[in-house]
Amino acid sequence: HYSFFPGRPRWPPTKYHLTYEFLPNTHADAKAPVTRAFATWARHTHFKFSLATNSRRADLKIGFYRGNHGDGYPFDGSGGTLAHAFTPTDGRVHFDSTEKWVVGAVRGRFDLETVALHEIGHLLGLGHSRVKNAIMYPTIESGSTKGLNADDIEGIEVLY
Ligand code: TQI
Ligand code: CA
Ligand code: ZN
Ligand code: ZN
């Protein structure tokens, strides 16, 4: 079953419309799968997500980095850590740019949309789940894709 971070950090319940931005180092091919991951969370929760207009600062900031990138959590090259996200209301999510990202189930590779679904769960305040089919389960096999599970949605409903 779902879990939360220590202290149960969450977005203020009145702030359910979150904006996101892709930092300039985001590869063009990465935007569509991450955008679909936001749409999936929006379909199943009370959250709304929209691309930030350049006039205002986004709530959620998506970036791709390699190795040491200044936040104390260096990436480790291809394999190992794929991505990490900070707890609410920080809003940063980082993907390891040295991974061979793919869209869909490709043998030996990780599906960017699936990993984005998992990281958005962290951005919203979900920790890891003990339910194997939950997107917040702490491991995934390469070459597979996953969607949201009732356990993930229940976690958000309980937190908010
Ligand atoms: N990144 C870890 C993760 O997002 C980072 C992490 C380790 C972490 N321990 C944590 C985050 C404790 C919060 C709390 O879980 S990862 C998967 C999965 C990763 C792993 O690169 O290992 C996914 C990223 F679940 F498939 F293994 C995305 Cl989907
Ligand atoms: Ca890595
Ligand atoms: Zn980082
Ligand atoms: Zn995780």
Side-chain angles (χ1 to χ4, degrees):
H1 149 316
Y2 54 80
S3 72
F4 307 123
F5 292 108
R8 281 190 164 218
R10 63 174 183 172
W11 294 89
T14 50
K15 189 174 173 59
Y16 58 88
H17 186 178
L18 302 175
T19 59
Y20 62 90
E21 70 178 340
F22 293 104
L23 299 179
N25 49 5
T26 304
H27 195 271
D29 295 343
K31 294 183 183 180
V34 174
T35 301
R36 285 196 299 272
F38 278 119
T40 299
W41 276 107
R43 267 200 312 282
H44 295 281
T45 65
H46 65 294
F47 281 103
K48 289 180 62 174
F49 303 99
S50 54
L51 194 61
T53 56
N54 48 21
S55 56
R56 46 185 293 224
R57 190 110 184 84
D59 300 306
L60 310 174
K61 294 159 282 285
I62 301 139
F64 283 72
Y65 301 95
R66 58 168 65 222
N68 227 311
H69 51 283
D71 62 8
Y73 302 95
F75 281 131
D76 50 5
S78 190
T81 302
L82 306 169
H84 53 230
F86 291 79
T87 56
T89 52
D90 180 288
R92 284 176 292 168
V93 53
H94 298 161
F95 293 86
D96 188 340
S97 61
T98 66
E99 303 297 339
K100 298 183 183 82
W101 293 108
V102 294
V103 174
V106 178
R107 190 156 58 105
R109 306 280 185 89
F110 287 94
D111 171 45
L112 181 55
E113 186 172 344
T114 298
V115 173
L117 277 172
H118 180 99
E119 298 303 329
I120 292 166
H122 287 320
L123 287 178
L124 298 179
L126 291 178
H128 286 149
S129 172
R130 293 170 169 277
V131 174
K132 190 138 202 250
N133 287 330
I135 195 69
M136 297 316 294
Y137 192 73
T139 63
I140 188 178
E141 281 155 43
S142 67
S144 67
T145 65
K146 264 173 118 175
L148 295 188
N149 181 271
D151 180 72
D152 303 306
I153 295 154
E154 197 186 329
I156 291 291
E157 284 171 358
V158 169
L159 181 59
Y160 291 89

